[in-house]
Amino acid sequence: MYLAHPDRYADMLYRRAGRSGLKLPVLSLGLWHNFGPDRPAETRRALLRRAFDLGITHFDLANNYGPPPGAAESAFGEVLRTDFAPYRDELVISTKAGHLMWPGPYGEWGSRKYLLASLDQSLRRMGLEYVDIFYSHRPDPDTPLEETMGALHTAVQQGKALYVGISNYSPEQTREAARILGEMGTPLLVHQPRYSMLDRRPEEEGLLDVLGELQVGSIVYSPLEQGLLTARYLDGIPEDSRAASDSPFLNSDAVTGELVDRLRALQKIAESRGQSLAQLALAWVLRGGRVTSALVGASSPQQLQDSVEAIRNLDFDAEELARIDAIVRP
């Protein structure tokens, strides 16, 4: 029988999401990878247990996570039943809908029919009555934003979600989504963009400024750039790496000699701070408090532990930030 660590809240930091009453751990566990049937059930279970023992209360899913789609939610539901049932009220569980889940015209994007049907399926897979956050995973160019946001509002009205969020929306779309939801009486809680030292678009396009102005939280994904911002690629491409498999999310062409040189330079900065490259990358996205939480993945409990060590040093001086910029934005 699993008993959560009694000191699980002692070291984790928590930040309030926007102007809501909800606090999130600065590191959240994403189940995008490593939670399909290709991973042993005991490995998945050990990861989830270790995360919670470290104070990670937020578990981020989507209907299409696995692979195959739906597998991550089903795997998480098993651990909810066997280990986490007594702790449900200590957990923040999120899921999303937007990508392809079933054939035909109602199986993806942002229609009311798809979003609410997908949420019902997600709840069944996880064995839940409600999720804490339900997201529109991507904007739909062919569905009025009023309909998509209206579906999120309905999920809250039905008691199937406590809060709502959006992911991969532009600054302009974010501003409009927040306006529509606000008029309905369901505030926009959080936005989930991609953000890292190597991908500055939320800064460059003004998204972080918009979120600050609207007092909307942010949970960033891929802060380690699919593993690039780790020690894994400092000596090239390992045979068992994601880049070597030519994953659709990271292929070998991306790991150039120039990039490896930049990673090695960043590693030296990390060492001067007493951190690994991955810890530096996580600390960087969390610097200054503009980001509420960073999503991390893990293939082992130890990897998760190493990520959590990043929160011991989230402060950067001006010289360190300038050196990082000079490396990644020459």
Side-chain angles (χ1 to χ4, degrees), residues 120-159:
D120 284 342
Q121 291 182 18
S122 293
L123 293 175
R124 285 195 295 269
R125 282 191 288 267
M126 291 187 282
L128 291 171
E129 294 180 356
Y130 69 94
V131 291
D132 296 277
I133 308 171
F134 181 47
Y135 288 87
S136 167
H137 206 164
R138 59 175 176 170
D140 182 345
D142 298 320
T143 297
L145 194 55
E146 289 82 1
E147 178 175 340
T148 300
M149 295 304 106
L152 298 184
H153 170 69
T154 295
V156 173
Q157 295 298 104
Q158 291 177 339

Side-chain angles (χ1 to χ4, degrees), residues 13-285:
L13 300 175
Y14 299 86
R15 291 177 177 173
R16 194 174 300 279
R19 64 172 179 264
S20 76
L22 184 67
K23 291 183 177 181
L24 296 171
V26 293
L27 293 178
S28 300
L29 183 62
L31 278 67
W32 183 13
H33 301 295
N34 300 320
F35 280 86
D38 58 328
R39 302 285 178 169
E42 281 309 306
T43 299
R44 301 193 303 258
R45 189 180 187 191
L47 276 170
L48 293 169
R49 286 179 164 193
R50 187 62 182 140
F52 189 46
D53 285 344
L54 290 168
I56 294 176
T57 54
H58 176 218
F59 298 92
D60 180 79
L61 299 104
N63 57 358
N64 65 321
Y65 288 177
E73 289 179 329
S74 296
F76 185 70
E78 293 174 10
V79 177
L80 273 173
R81 289 187 291 274
T82 58
D83 295 340
F84 284 172
Y87 306 102
R88 171 62 183 100
D89 292 336
E90 297 183 43
L91 306 179
V92 175
I93 301 168
S94 61
T95 197
K96 315 177 195 72
H99 291 281
L100 181 64
M101 281 299 291
W102 59 86
Y106 321 121
E108 62 178 326
W109 292 108
S111 72
R112 179 181 182 85
K113 179 173 178 60
Y114 166 69
L115 289 173
L116 294 177
S118 179
L119 177 56
D120 284 342
Q121 291 182 18
S122 293
L123 293 175
R124 285 195 295 269
R125 282 191 288 267
M126 291 187 282
L128 291 171
E129 294 180 356
Y130 69 94
V131 291
D132 296 277
I133 308 171
F134 181 47
Y135 288 87
S136 167
H137 206 164
R138 59 175 176 170
D140 182 345
D142 298 320
T143 297
L145 194 55
E146 289 82 1
E147 178 175 340
T148 300
M149 295 304 106
L152 298 184
H153 170 69
T154 295
V156 173
Q157 295 298 104
Q158 291 177 339
K160 296 176 181 179
L162 301 184
Y163 302 92
V164 299
I166 57 176
S167 182
N168 301 306
Y169 278 54
S170 72
E172 296 75 18
Q173 291 167 331
T174 298
R175 191 183 295 279
E176 183 65 3
R179 182 192 67 78
I180 294 168
L181 285 167
E183 291 179 355
M184 293 177 177
T186 297
L188 176 61
L189 174 80
V190 69
H191 188 296
Q192 189 173 129
R194 180 169 181 154
Y195 182 46
S196 75
M197 287 194 291
L198 299 179
D199 188 343
R200 305 287 190 90
R201 284 175 294 176
E203 290 179 12
E204 296 165 345
E205 297 173 0
L207 178 62
L208 293 183
D209 292 334
V210 169
L211 297 179
E213 175 191 335
L214 298 176
Q215 293 184 277
V216 171
S218 56
I219 302 174
V220 302
Y221 70 91
S222 293
L224 302 181
E225 279 298 311
Q226 298 295 309
L228 283 178
L229 289 169
T230 70
R232 195 145 175 75
Y233 296 95
L234 293 177
D235 296 311
I237 303 175
E239 291 184 2
D240 61 345
S241 67
R242 185 171 296 164
S245 69
D246 279 334
S247 159
F249 307 107
L250 178 65
N251 60 59
S252 56
D253 292 340
V255 189
T256 63
E258 180 186 6
L259 176 62
V260 171
D261 288 342
R262 292 184 184 184
L263 297 179
R264 289 172 179 164
L266 290 171
Q267 170 73 5
K268 290 181 180 179
I269 297 177
E271 290 171 354
S272 71
R273 292 168 49 86
Q275 293 180 316
S276 67
L277 177 54
Q279 290 165 353
L280 172 73
L282 293 171
W284 186 88
V285 298

